[in-house]
Amino acid sequence: MDEDEYESLPPNASSVDHMMAGAAAGIMEHCIIYPVDVVKTRMQCLKPDPNARYNGIIDAFIKIVRNEGAFRPVRGMGVVAFGAGPAHALYFSCYEFIKNNFSGSVKAGENSKVNFVAGCFATLLHDAVMVPSDTIKHRLQMYNSPYKGVIDCVVRTTRREGFKAFYKSYFTQLSMNIPFQTTHLVTYDFLQTHLNRKREYNPMSHCVSGAIAGALAAAVTTPLDVCKTLINTQECCNPDELCKTVKPNNSNNNFSNKLNFSVLNSAFVRNTSTSTPGVTASGLRDAIFIIYRQNGVMGFFKGLGPRTLFQIPGTAVSWSVYEYFKYYLNKKKSTIG
């Protein structure tokens, strides 16, 4: 098979072909490493329950399984698979379309500027689908989550906070995912240029390039991921620390009036409670101030280990599956031709 033929899906490939490859890659990526994502979410809590304090990834797994059951690390996986399929289908098809049609005289995949732009547009589509799934996922992953399941979470969240709650972290996620995906894609194609010069199907090079690219992008964007988790959950994981005494400030003139940091130092609002609403993180700015006030600069790097560990195999699997689909579809085209 000619290397130029492999580099992209067949010219006559339908949108369904692009989307199937992307959907398979996304579902595999998120589901295989999902338990690690649960640990990452738990470790990003600002004030965790005493039973949800962990000394590391292994310790977290042991305590979660021992205290909450063997299936607790996979709770919420279904909603992630449901969102990851269409989200990654749109992501990869958009990325491939822009990369293959706007690279000009440069070979597709080797124009870093085009790859950057393709990553930005692909992320806009991906996050529009994935953000609601992430919100539900985070709320189900938390320790002592008040929700019985996906449907219960959707119904109670909509009733209490409105449909907008599912998109509250959209711009924060874009702020994180645009630098994440562009760093990821540019690094991946850069490594492929050096490790796979012929741009042929090479599982090992796809795994290595995907793993390194994912780890680098994850580490760089961890602070924004911590903010996103806070915005999605609106809680500190401790059901006993409800800020029943916190009264919303009527003044909205400035951020300092909006948040009562003296109270936040001792307790943090759990927005899923039925008590009087208190302080919430309504956006990225709120989340940054709350996290800094609670844990200082190091608070922005909570869960760095599991987040990086999650991305290494996750992106390696994602790219391997996607590249295999490209190889398979081109091989099938060659056989038919």
Side-chain angles (χ1 to χ4, degrees):
M1 185 188 302
D2 188 277
E3 63 181 78
D4 289 326
E5 289 182 327
Y6 165 70
E7 181 54 27
S8 60
L9 289 171
N12 61 346
S14 67
S15 298
V16 175
D17 292 328
H18 288 273
M19 290 185 171
M20 283 180 60
I27 292 172
M28 290 286 286
E29 173 189 351
H30 284 274
C31 291
I32 290 177
I33 320 296
Y34 185 82
V36 182
D37 189 44
V38 174
V39 173
K40 181 214 72 171
T41 299
R42 297 282 188 92
M43 294 181 73
Q44 287 180 340
C45 293
L46 297 183
K47 290 175 66 63
D49 184 279
N51 294 320
R53 291 193 173 107
Y54 313 114
N55 296 320
I57 298 173
I58 302 301
D59 180 57
F61 274 124
I62 294 174
K63 288 182 178 178
I64 291 173
V65 172
R66 183 176 61 203
N67 299 331
E68 304 172 57
F71 293 103
R72 191 62 179 84
V74 295
R75 187 173 188 241
M77 183 185 291
V79 72
V80 170
F82 183 78
H88 281 71
L90 290 171
Y91 175 81
F92 277 106
S93 59
C94 178
Y95 176 67
E96 288 284 355
F97 176 81
I98 294 176
K99 183 179 73 172
N100 293 326
N101 288 279
F102 294 94
S103 291
S105 59
V106 181
K107 186 177 179 181
E110 296 184 0
N111 189 326
S112 59
K113 293 181 180 179
V114 172
N115 293 344
F116 180 88
V117 173
C120 290
F121 280 98
T123 300
L124 288 172
L125 295 177
H126 171 276
D127 287 357
V129 176
M130 200 66 195
V131 166
S133 295
D134 274 347
T135 301
I136 298 169
K137 175 196 74 174
H138 281 136
R139 296 190 178 209
L140 293 175
Q141 287 177 337
M142 304 300 272
Y143 176 77
N144 205 19
S145 172
Y147 306 108
K148 297 176 182 178
V150 174
I151 302 300
D152 182 52
C153 180
V154 172
V155 172
R156 291 173 62 182
T157 300
T158 303
R159 183 183 302 155
R160 184 162 41 242
E161 304 170 53
F163 182 76
K164 64 181 181 180
F166 298 105
Y167 278 95
K168 187 174 287 187
S169 67
Y170 180 66
F171 291 106
T172 300
Q173 184 140 323
L174 282 179
S175 299
M176 176 186 73
N177 277 350
I178 287 179
F180 175 91
Q181 297 295 358
T182 50
T183 299
H184 173 205
L185 294 170
V186 170
T187 302
Y188 178 82
D189 279 316
F190 172 80
L191 292 170
Q192 281 293 285
T193 301
H194 291 80
L195 299 178
N196 188 11
R197 292 182 180 277
K198 293 183 178 180
R199 290 281 178 163
E200 59 188 6
Y201 178 61
N202 186 328
M204 182 57 70
S205 75
H206 301 320
C207 276
V208 172
S209 298
I212 295 175
L216 177 61
V220 169
T221 56
T222 293
L224 289 168
D225 189 54
V226 177
C227 294
K228 183 191 77 171
T229 300
L230 173 60
I231 294 170
N232 279 344
T233 59
Q234 297 290 342
E235 58 187 341
C236 65
C237 305
N238 193 339
D240 297 323
E241 291 185 347
L242 304 179
C243 296
K244 296 179 181 179
T245 59
V246 179
K247 300 298 181 182
N249 197 305
N250 293 326
S251 174
N252 293 317
N253 293 332
N254 55 60
F255 184 79
S256 61
N257 286 333
K258 184 180 180 182
L259 295 178
N260 185 341
F261 284 126
S262 62
V263 179
L264 278 173
N265 283 333
S266 59
F268 186 75
V269 70
R270 180 184 175 91
N271 200 46
T272 56
S273 74
T274 56
S275 61
T276 302
V279 181
T280 60
S282 60
L284 180 59
R285 185 181 64 171
D286 290 7
I288 290 173
F289 273 84
I290 291 170
I291 292 168
Y292 180 77
R293 194 71 181 184
Q294 285 285 91
N295 298 106
V297 174
M298 294 307 297
F300 294 100
F301 294 93
K302 280 177 169 285
L304 175 62
R307 174 170 165 76
T308 304
L309 181 63
F310 171 82
Q311 290 297 337
I312 289 175
T315 49
V317 168
S318 179
W319 279 109
S320 296
V321 171
Y322 186 70
E323 297 286 1
Y324 172 76
F325 263 81
K326 287 166 62 176
Y327 169 76
Y328 172 77
L329 290 171
N330 275 288
K331 186 177 180 180
K332 184 177 180 181
K333 186 198 79 167
S334 298
T335 302
I336 295 176

